[in-house]
Amino acid sequence: MIQRKSYEYLLVTRPSQFVAHVQLNRPELKNAINHKMNEELGDVFEELSVDPDTRAIIISGCGKSFCAGIDLKESLNIVNSALEGEDAARMARRIREKFKESQKTLNAISECPKPIIAAIHGQCIGGGMDLIALSDIRYATTDAQFSMKEVDIAMTADPNTLSRLPRICGNESWIRELVFTARTFDAEEALQYDLILKVYDSHAEVIKGAERVSLTMSNRSPVAIQSAKTFMEYARDHSVEDSLRFSAAWNQSQLQTEDVHKAAQTALLDEQHQPQYSKL
């Protein structure tokens, strides 16, 4: 197992053997994402992506909310400092670097080969929407409130979110209305438009639900689970023909795993227990 770092604004635990739980841990500010938390999220997902002891990841928030978006006060200070004492070309380059730093974290989550389950409660705003858009499965509580607030502060949501949400939810008109108006919507509406899969009554229940499904995943072949995620991520941006070629090339090596034989033997013998798969 990879040696865990200590984090200032994240709480990383292991509820079961192959499941990691990443909690945003800035509850006094509803887990608003500051520069340090953003860096830590990138670090932890880079670590978990290659950790052989992690087969599924839960992301949630401590306190009363999942995530209230970016720390606006700190972000304005960073932007203002980038605008001091330089000409337009140099200011533009400094601002670009700040955006690239922020996007590095979202890319680390996007490229994670392990299933990511978001357990959402309370507010899920702005940057919180970025996090759940990059998750594979999204559960929420009845009190969850969602919003893409960027236009309210004269900004644009991250391209990762804007490109993924229409594919997740299907109804592009609904997504555009949310983006252009920054209105708040509840868990019932999120469920109606397929942003979330299931609604739970409380924070404790949504965490239990995420832990149950994560445990189920972690008991399956990590080769099969991670291959399935890889296929779906590839197919999202490619034609069926390209995806079939990719699948054939990928499977010529991945079907040689011993996991296939273990699973087949268990099924043929009608055994009730799950086979034990080697770490990946």
Side-chain angles (χ1 to χ4, degrees):
M1 182 175 67
I2 289 177
Q3 183 64 41
R4 294 274 175 260
K5 296 179 181 178
S6 59
Y7 297 101
E8 186 175 356
Y9 295 119
L10 300 178
L11 179 61
V12 183
T13 57
R14 192 169 291 281
S16 55
Q17 184 180 8
F18 292 114
V19 177
H21 186 176
V22 178
Q23 294 173 275
L24 310 183
N25 191 25
R26 207 179 176 211
E28 70 283 359
L29 292 174
K30 297 182 180 178
N31 299 315
I33 302 172
N34 62 3
H35 181 71
K36 181 65 173 176
M37 181 191 285
N38 189 66
E39 283 187 337
E40 291 180 348
L41 279 166
D43 288 346
V44 76
F45 274 91
E46 285 182 355
E47 286 187 5
L48 295 175
S49 291
V50 296
D51 180 8
D53 286 298
T54 299
R55 297 181 182 176
I57 303 167
I58 301 167
I59 184 166
S60 72
C62 295
K64 295 182 178 180
S65 285
F66 175 75
C67 178
I70 63 169
D71 184 323
L72 187 57
K73 182 177 180 180
E74 184 193 71
S75 296
L76 287 174
N77 288 337
I78 290 173
V79 170
N80 288 337
S81 67
L83 298 177
E84 290 176 356
E86 293 184 326
D87 60 37
R90 287 170 174 79
M91 288 189 291
R93 287 168 186 261
R94 287 171 60 127
I95 292 173
R96 182 185 65 179
E97 289 306 310
K98 296 299 181 184
F99 273 97
K100 286 172 66 177
E101 287 176 14
S102 176
Q103 289 174 340
K104 182 180 177 182
T105 289
L106 297 181
N107 289 338
I109 301 172
S110 174
E111 294 168 5
C112 178
K114 319 291 175 69
I116 303 170
I117 301 90
I120 306 151
H121 77 293
Q123 290 184 331
C124 179
I125 297 173
M129 292 288 290
D130 294 335
L131 295 179
I132 70 168
L134 294 169
S135 300
D136 298 288
I137 299 169
R138 290 163 291 278
Y139 300 142
T141 57
T142 53
D143 72 341
Q145 296 286 313
F146 304 83
S147 181
M148 301 177 70
K149 296 288 284 184
E150 283 83 357
V151 296
D152 275 353
I153 53 173
M155 293 178 63
T156 304
D158 188 85
N160 256 312
T161 304
L162 295 181
S163 64
R164 284 174 179 265
L165 284 179
R167 295 183 173 103
I168 292 169
C169 303
N171 190 324
E172 189 163 334
S173 292
W174 182 67
I175 297 297
R176 287 176 184 247
E177 182 200 52
L178 298 177
V179 172
F180 299 156
T181 65
R183 72 173 177 85
T184 299
F185 59 103
D186 60 17
E188 182 179 354
E189 186 174 352
L191 182 64
Q192 177 186 351
Y193 286 97
D194 298 326
L195 177 61
I196 59 175
L197 176 61
K198 193 178 295 186
V199 178
Y200 291 86
D201 289 334
S202 69
H203 186 198
E205 286 299 315
V206 76
I207 297 297
K208 288 180 183 177
E211 289 178 351
R212 281 194 297 269
V213 75
S214 299
L215 179 60
T216 300
M217 294 173 185
S218 69
N219 285 331
R220 269 54 181 183
S221 161
V223 174
I225 295 289
Q226 292 180 44
S227 291
K229 178 168 179 175
T230 299
F231 289 156
M232 286 187 282
E233 291 291 307
Y234 184 90
R236 186 188 65 231
D237 299 317
H238 294 81
S239 68
V240 173
E241 185 179 357
D242 287 343
S243 298
L244 289 172
R245 282 197 294 265
F246 176 80
S247 174
W250 181 276
N251 275 325
Q252 68 185 2
S253 64
Q254 297 305 290
L255 283 179
Q256 297 182 55
T257 175
E258 64 179 9
D259 296 9
V260 171
H261 301 289
K262 289 181 178 180
Q265 184 177 28
T266 299
L268 288 171
L269 296 175
D270 197 26
E271 296 179 359
Q272 299 302 309
H273 69 278
Q274 285 290 327
Q276 298 298 307
Y277 297 109
S278 300
K279 295 177 182 180
L280 181 62

